[in-house]
């Protein structure tokens, strides 16, 4: 039960009244004198208890509230005058809010701890395979395979592939950690996205040819596409999305890049007619190390970080990425970029 100082004083004065009046009547005074004495007693009881409560209790409570405030609990509308009206209620309110804040903080810490452990586990797991492979090939070579011309070159090539995979993973991890540190440096500039696209298409051409995949800019998209962005980061976004369209595309397939004028922005869409993605995977697709087809990702040299990097790189541009996909039919990844200022 929370009592205000006035309610407490009221109860004290009622008790004093009853006690003094009964005592006076018991001592033989008349009912009028007993009532008058009780009244005087209750008045002085009311005043003195109000004074005591307000002076001492509220003073102490004020200290408690200050201490809570120093622990950074937010005391909405905290005014010291309010303490006098319902001091215990306010302490109760402040402690409840403080404890809720502590619970939220603890939950957030637990979430971060879980996330850190999971991330460390994933990184160790991803590094373990190429390291074991390299170790295995080197030891086999040292144990004599180096003198066997039928196997030594193949073992060296396999070890080199594992080393390349490790390098790709470490590079992607460094990119992710830079993006997540929140201190990523942006190099904004106006440039023609069409030129950049041509450059990226040239760089992935060899990979695409290896699978007989044709990559083209959709008919009807009229360059130039002047955008305001960080060229290097957008290059990485395009490389990752186009590489995925090759890795998860069908042999002799088709990848199309569309650029649509949206007024203030361009919408860039990269579509393939490859294996597509089942709907249940779509919400988690941009998480680190999330893979739909683990075997295919690994055999294609995927790190499982490509789409997480794409998402982060677009977020630092203030943009988002979306995906539409039908299993067995293909996928479309799309994002927007602001138009150039000039
Ligand atoms: P990875 O290195 O495994 O390619 P990503 O982050 O780039 O990692 O992609 C995550 C997963 O999303 C891939 O493992 C793959 O299962 C799926 N994926 C990405 N792009 C496509 C695509 N164009 N078509 C089908 N699946 C895709």
């Amino acid at each position: 039960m929370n009592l205000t100082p006035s309610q407490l004083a009221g109860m004290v004065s009622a008790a004093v009244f009853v006690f003094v009046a009964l005592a006076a009547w018991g001592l033989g005074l008349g009912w009028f004198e007993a009532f008058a004495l009780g009244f005087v007693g209750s008045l002085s009881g009311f005043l003195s208890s109000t004074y005591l409560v307000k002076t001492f209790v509220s003073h102490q409570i004020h200290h408690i509230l200050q201490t809570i405030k120093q622990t950074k609990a937010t005391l909405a509308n905290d005014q010291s005058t309010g303490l006098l009206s319902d001091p215990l209620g306010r302490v109760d309110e402040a402690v409840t809010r403080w404890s809720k804040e502590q619970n939220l903080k603890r939950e957030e810490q637990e979430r971060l701890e879980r996330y850190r452990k999971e991330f460390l586990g994933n990184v160790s797991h991803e590094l373990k395979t190429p390291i074991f492979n390299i170790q295995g090939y080197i030891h086999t070579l040292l144990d004599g395979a180096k003198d066997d011309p039928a196997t030594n070159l193949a073992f060296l090539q396999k070890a080199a592939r594992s080393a390349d995979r490790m390098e790709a993973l470490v590079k992607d991890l460094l990119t992710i950690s830079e993006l997540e540190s929140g201190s990523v440096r942006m190099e904004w500039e106006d440039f023609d996205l069409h030129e950049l696209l041509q450059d990226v298409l040239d760089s992935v051409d060899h990979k695409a040819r290896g699978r007989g995949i044709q990559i083209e800019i959709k008919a009807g998209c009229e360059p130039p596409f002047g955008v305001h962005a960080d060229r290097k980061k957008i290059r990485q976004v395009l490389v990752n999305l186009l590489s995925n369209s090759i890795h998860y595309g069908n042999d002799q397939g088709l990848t199309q890049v569309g650029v649509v004028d949206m007024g203030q922005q361009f919408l860039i869409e990269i579509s393939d007619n490859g294996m597509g993605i089942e709907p249940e995977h779509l919400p988690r697709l941009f998480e680190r190390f999330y893979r739909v087809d683990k075997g295919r990702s690994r055999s294609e040299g995927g790190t499982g970080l490509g789409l997480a990097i794409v998402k982060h790189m677009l977020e630092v541009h203030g943009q988002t990425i979306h995906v539409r996909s039908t299993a067995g039919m293909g996928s479309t990844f799309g994002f927007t970029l602001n138009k150039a200022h000039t």
Side-chain angles (χ1 to χ4, degrees), residues 244 248 272 277 285 290-293 297 302-304 306-307 331 333:
N244 278 353
Y248 307 105
D272 64 65
I277 303 157
L285 209 62
Y290 190 83
R291 293 169 164 115
V292 180
D293 183 341
S297 164
T303 60
L307 288 180
S331 314
F333 288 83

Side-chain angles (χ1 to χ4, degrees), residues 25-298:
W25 189 68
L27 287 172
L29 294 181
W31 66 267
F32 179 75
E33 287 85 355
F35 183 85
L37 271 176
F39 180 74
V40 171
S42 84
L43 190 64
S44 56
F46 181 82
L47 292 175
S48 54
S49 55
T50 303
Y51 175 77
L52 279 174
V53 168
K54 286 191 177 178
T55 310
F56 296 109
V57 178
S58 290
H59 184 70
Q60 294 302 320
I61 284 169
H62 182 71
H63 270 296
I64 295 172
L65 283 171
Q66 289 307 316
T67 310
I68 294 172
K69 257 187 6 175
Q70 278 159 16
T71 65
K72 294 201 170 42
T74 49
L75 293 174
N77 306 321
D78 181 32
Q79 290 154 356
S80 33
T81 50
L83 294 171
L84 300 179
S85 57
D86 182 12
L88 295 178
R90 287 199 48 80
V91 170
D92 185 37
E93 186 195 325
V95 170
T96 308
R97 193 176 299 120
W98 177 75
S99 111
K100 271 188 195 152
E101 283 176 7
Q102 293 308 305
N103 281 343
L104 283 179
K105 270 189 203 158
R106 208 192 52 241
E107 276 166 24
E108 177 63 6
Q109 272 167 0
E110 282 171 3
R111 194 185 66 78
L112 287 175
E113 182 61 14
R114 260 200 317 275
Y115 161 83
R116 197 183 60 80
K117 278 186 188 155
E118 196 180 304
F119 187 61
L120 262 179
N122 279 327
V123 171
S124 322
H125 182 74
E126 295 293 330
L127 282 172
K128 197 177 69 186
T129 316
I131 289 176
F132 280 5
N133 286 348
I134 294 170
Q135 203 179 24
Y137 294 131
I138 290 177
H139 281 298
T140 317
L141 284 165
L142 287 175
D143 291 346
K146 69 177 190 314
D147 302 318
D148 178 0
T151 51
N152 58 10
L153 187 63
F155 280 1
L156 279 173
Q157 280 166 341
K158 284 181 180 171
R161 261 204 301 280
S162 291
D164 290 347
R165 195 171 144 196
M166 251 171 70
E167 192 210 5
L169 180 65
V170 170
K171 261 193 191 160
D172 278 359
L173 281 171
L174 286 173
T175 309
I176 283 261
S177 76
E178 193 201 346
L179 287 163
E180 290 192 352
S181 69
S183 61
V184 63
R185 251 192 42 238
M186 294 296 285
E187 289 175 24
W188 294 100
E189 58 177 313
D190 287 350
F191 62 92
D192 181 9
L193 185 73
H194 184 253
E195 266 177 34
L196 180 65
L197 260 172
Q198 290 294 351
D199 179 31
V200 175
L201 292 192
D202 287 347
S203 73
V204 297
D205 185 55
H206 177 70
K207 239 192 263 176
R209 270 173 204 261
R211 311 245 347 247
I213 291 176
Q214 189 191 335
I215 308 186
E216 60 179 31
I217 297 180
K218 255 189 190 168
C221 301
E222 291 300 326
F225 314 120
V227 293
H228 182 69
D230 183 319
R231 189 197 296 255
K232 263 195 197 158
K233 294 190 175 61
I234 297 306
R235 187 177 204 285
Q236 173 92 66
V237 167
L238 293 170
V239 167
N240 288 9
L241 293 178
L242 285 168
S243 301
N244 278 353
S245 82
I246 300 168
H247 294 158
Y248 307 105
N250 293 328
D251 288 347
Q252 322 307 323
L254 175 69
T255 293
Q256 287 189 309
V257 184
V259 184
V260 184
D261 191 330
M262 309 264 293
Q264 304 284 314
Q265 297 180 317
F266 282 112
L267 167 68
I268 300 104
E269 289 200 319
I270 294 170
S271 313
D272 64 65
N273 59 354
M275 62 194 288
I277 303 157
E278 301 280 353
E280 68 266 27
H281 296 291
L282 294 178
R284 300 195 57 193
L285 209 62
F286 297 93
E287 286 177 20
R288 285 173 225 83
F289 298 116
Y290 190 83
R291 293 169 164 115
V292 180
D293 183 341
K294 291 190 178 64
R296 180 137 172 186
S297 164
R298 294 212 165 91

